[in-house]
Amino acid sequence: MNNQTKLSLFIILLLFGYITPKEPGMIILPLKVLNDSFEKYPIFRETEISIEHQVEVQTPFGPTIRKLKEVVSGTIQILESRLFAAPITIGTNSKPQNFNVILDTGSINLWVAKIGSEDAHKIDNHFDPSLSPSATRTSETFTVQYGTGSTEGNYYSDKVDFISTGNYELKFGAADKTDFNVKGADGIMGLAKRYNSNEYSAIFTLYAKKLIPNKSFSFKYLNDKEVEMYLGEEHSDFSNENNTAQCQLLHKTTYDNLLWTCKLYKFGFLSEDMEKNVTSPCGYNLLFDTGSNIMILPLETLENISKNLSQFNCSLATTSNGQQIFCTNNKNLPNVYIEVGNHYLILDKDKMFSLVKLEDGRTGYILDAVFKDSNMPIMGQRFFQLFHTKFDLDNKVLKFYNENQEKIIYSYEKPYDDEARTFGYDTDIDFLNPETMKIIAAVAIVVALLVVLCFIYKCCKKIGKSSHGNKHIQAVGN
């Protein structure tokens, strides 16, 4: 082989190595932490609190429990919500437009405010289609209803870059009207997936472009100012089985979206020494929502635990937010815990309670959870400050990691339907639920009875015909 041939071969190999795509791997994205402290959620909020005490009273017929109500005014020192925001650019490389968007696992739409839009609150950056030659307005409109507001506008198609991996053609919303009100954010990027569709949310476009090896991402809360998002390969945290829990995804269909939900089996309070606890059985789907501020649970959960709250010096309370739990003793303040999958996850009290200063000089604590009639119970931002959480669409699980092993406790009670549920369109029917089995058994019995009655009817009819035929034969013979 002469030198010219060797040189040609070297150039070919060099070119081949250059143009061969690298294997996809983990992408680490530093996020901004935004404090949701706009006018609607001030750090200090004056409110009237109606507290319901349960008092044991001696009567001629023995001790009985009576409910006493007191109405007081106070100031709640709200714990700041720390929402995660990612920087993105929209438009061509020559004139990119910069935005900060909240990462929201409770929705699918990517949208930013459009120039000239009706903003209920000031938004810093607005999308201007005239500055991007590649922007195309589509004929589609969108309306998104969130827990605290709504947004509407038109879909556009343009080049979007959200982790500096290159501009890709994406469909996004340009809002003409919004009452979105998070300071420092210009829009929302939904991280759910549209049901029964090949259309991915913006994050999963990375998978479609083969920039990450799988459809998964996780959030790790480092401190009050730093959060990292990991896309693709699993973070080393989750290799520690003793500090990791997981639950099966039960995607609930809402507004044609597949959301990140798991079955919640129990909710309760647990004393610091783990000697005392108050538990409510649940059995409903819980949405793990990075775009929500607080926990929202059904009223029936509150009713189940309200009878035993006094052991923690806690009572039912009604505030401007709705039904909540009020506690008076900081030393006896309980931790909150939930059971998902096969584990109890313990949520620190310092992340779950807000300080209350009453006008008479007393102090207390309000659990940052609202209990109301809701078809979508929610686990909000406080949870993600405590647990490194992975959203894994490929393996259909949510994973939770905490460096403190005592915060994740194995439950020996096997959930009755975690493995029986299938991933996909979720109908809220638990096929192995004992109550459901009773209904199925009753229906089966009714069907069996109908079959037996039908058989008897047919037999009687045949006997009748046979008897009539015999009489006819006898008459002819005579």
Side-chain angles (χ1 to χ4, degrees):
M1 184 182 295
N2 57 35
N3 291 335
Q4 186 175 359
T5 305
K6 289 181 180 179
L7 180 61
S8 300
L9 181 60
F10 175 78
I11 293 173
I12 291 172
L13 291 174
L14 182 64
L15 288 173
F16 180 80
Y18 177 77
I19 63 174
T20 300
K22 296 181 180 179
E23 287 294 319
M26 179 188 290
I27 296 175
I28 302 176
L29 176 62
L31 303 179
K32 294 184 177 182
V33 181
L34 303 181
N35 298 332
D36 185 5
S37 55
F38 239 64
E39 295 91 340
K40 197 169 183 178
Y41 301 102
I43 303 304
F44 297 93
R45 186 181 70 233
E46 293 185 1
T47 185
E48 188 176 81
I49 305 174
S50 176
I51 305 171
E52 183 180 285
H53 300 284
Q54 295 189 1
V55 181
E56 184 176 297
V57 179
Q58 293 294 332
T59 69
F61 305 100
T64 186
I65 300 295
R66 290 184 179 175
K67 296 179 180 180
L68 302 176
K69 285 189 176 181
E70 66 166 322
V71 179
V72 293
S73 294
T75 302
I76 301 178
Q77 183 176 337
I78 303 296
L79 288 174
E80 288 184 325
S81 294
R82 306 189 187 281
L83 303 176
F84 308 151
I88 68 170
T89 63
I90 299 178
T92 55
N93 291 328
S94 58
K95 292 183 179 180
Q97 301 178 55
N98 300 310
F99 305 94
N100 291 316
V101 290
I102 298 293
L103 297 177
D104 179 22
T105 55
S107 65
I108 188 172
N109 299 79
L110 166 62
W111 66 266
V112 294
K114 183 183 174 185
I115 190 167
S117 65
E118 299 178 27
D119 301 340
H121 300 272
K122 183 181 178 182
I123 291 179
D124 295 331
N125 303 303
H126 295 75
F127 174 63
D128 187 348
S130 66
L131 297 180
S132 178
S134 54
T136 304
R137 177 171 173 165
T138 73
S139 58
E140 296 180 79
T141 61
F142 74 97
T143 300
V144 185
Q145 182 66 49
Y146 299 102
T148 57
S150 62
T151 299
E152 60 184 63
N154 272 89
Y155 279 118
Y156 278 75
S157 179
D158 203 351
K159 303 289 186 180
V160 178
D161 181 4
F162 47 92
I163 56 170
S164 300
T165 56
N167 289 326
Y168 298 105
E169 193 78 20
L170 283 180
K171 185 174 72 174
F172 64 94
D176 296 314
K177 183 178 180 181
T178 179
D179 52 5
F180 182 63
N181 58 356
V182 177
K183 188 176 182 180
D186 309 310
I188 288 180
M189 179 187 290
L191 300 179
K193 182 182 180 297
R194 196 173 299 283
Y195 175 71
N196 200 23
S197 169
N198 292 324
E199 179 184 348
Y200 290 106
S201 61
I203 286 294
F204 291 136
T205 302
L206 295 176
Y207 172 77
K209 300 294 182 182
K210 298 183 179 181
L211 295 173
I212 55 176
N214 53 58
K215 300 186 287 293
S216 69
F217 57 90
S218 67
F219 296 104
K220 186 172 184 179
Y221 188 88
L222 303 178
N223 54 54
D224 289 348
K225 295 183 178 180
E226 295 179 291
V227 173
E228 287 183 335
M229 184 178 189
Y230 304 94
L231 300 117
E233 294 179 359
E234 184 167 277
H235 190 276
S236 59
D237 281 353
F238 297 103
S239 62
N240 188 337
E241 294 183 359
N242 294 327
N243 294 52
T244 303
Q246 73 176 38
C247 61
Q248 192 72 26
L249 277 179
L250 305 172
H251 272 159
K252 185 180 181 69
T253 303
T254 303
Y255 304 114
D256 295 327
N257 295 344
L258 291 178
L259 305 180
W260 301 98
T261 63
C262 279
K263 181 70 70 178
L264 175 66
Y265 295 100
K266 291 179 183 177
F267 169 84
F269 285 168
L270 184 67
S271 61
E272 197 72 37
D273 58 9
M274 298 189 181
E275 294 294 326
K276 296 186 293 183
N277 75 86
V278 176
T279 301
S280 169
C282 299
Y284 45 76
N285 294 352
L286 181 68
L287 170 64
F288 288 82
D289 186 4
T290 57
S292 182
N293 296 306
I294 60 177
M295 188 191 311
I296 299 176
L297 296 173
L299 274 174
E300 62 181 288
T301 304
L302 180 64
E303 294 167 359
N304 290 334
I305 64 175
S306 61
K307 299 176 183 177
N308 299 305
L309 285 175
S310 57
Q311 63 179 303
F312 294 111
N313 295 324
C314 298
S315 309
L316 301 184
T318 304
T319 70
S320 56
N321 278 337
Q323 294 290 313
Q324 294 188 264
I325 293 176
F326 175 82
C327 302
T328 57
N329 190 339
N330 182 32
K331 294 181 180 179
N332 200 33
L333 203 62
N335 291 317
V336 176
Y337 75 90
I338 61 173
E339 183 183 9
V340 291
N342 274 38
H343 291 82
Y344 295 111
L345 306 182
I346 300 177
L347 315 182
D348 290 338
K349 57 188 177 184
D350 59 345
K351 291 290 186 182
M352 301 304 296
F353 286 88
S354 290
L355 177 66
V356 180
K357 294 183 179 179
L358 303 179
E359 61 181 359
D360 59 9
R362 291 180 295 163
T363 59
Y365 299 85
I366 285 280
L367 176 68
D368 284 322
V370 176
F371 299 85
K372 61 181 182 179
D373 292 326
S374 172
N375 60 356
M376 181 60 74
I378 289 174
M379 178 61 71
Q381 264 293 330
R382 305 293 160 75
F383 180 86
F384 304 106
Q385 296 178 33
L386 297 168
F387 290 90
H388 180 181
T389 304
K390 180 182 179 182
F391 300 79
D392 189 342
L393 186 61
D394 282 332
N395 295 307
K396 309 173 183 63
V397 295
L398 288 176
K399 283 189 175 182
F400 314 105
Y401 167 84
N402 189 293
E403 61 185 10
N404 185 351
Q405 187 177 337
E406 295 179 355
K407 300 303 179 186
I408 298 179
I409 303 173
Y410 182 76
S411 166
Y412 292 94
E413 299 177 23
K414 179 67 177 174
Y416 58 76
D417 66 349
D418 228 26
E419 294 180 354
R421 296 296 293 270
T422 57
F423 180 75
Y425 189 86
D426 182 25
T427 62
D428 288 336
I429 296 177
D430 297 320
F431 290 102
L432 296 185
N433 186 326
E435 296 300 322
T436 305
M437 292 299 293
K438 288 179 183 178
I439 296 172
I440 293 174
V443 172
I445 291 171
V446 171
V447 171
L449 287 174
L450 289 173
V451 171
V452 171
L453 290 173
C454 183
F455 178 75
I456 293 172
Y457 172 75
K458 286 184 177 180
C459 288
C460 292
K461 197 171 181 181
K462 285 183 179 180
I463 292 172
K465 286 183 177 180
S466 175
S467 175
H468 178 74
N470 290 337
K471 289 179 181 180
H472 179 70
I473 291 169
Q474 290 176 4
V476 171
N478 291 334

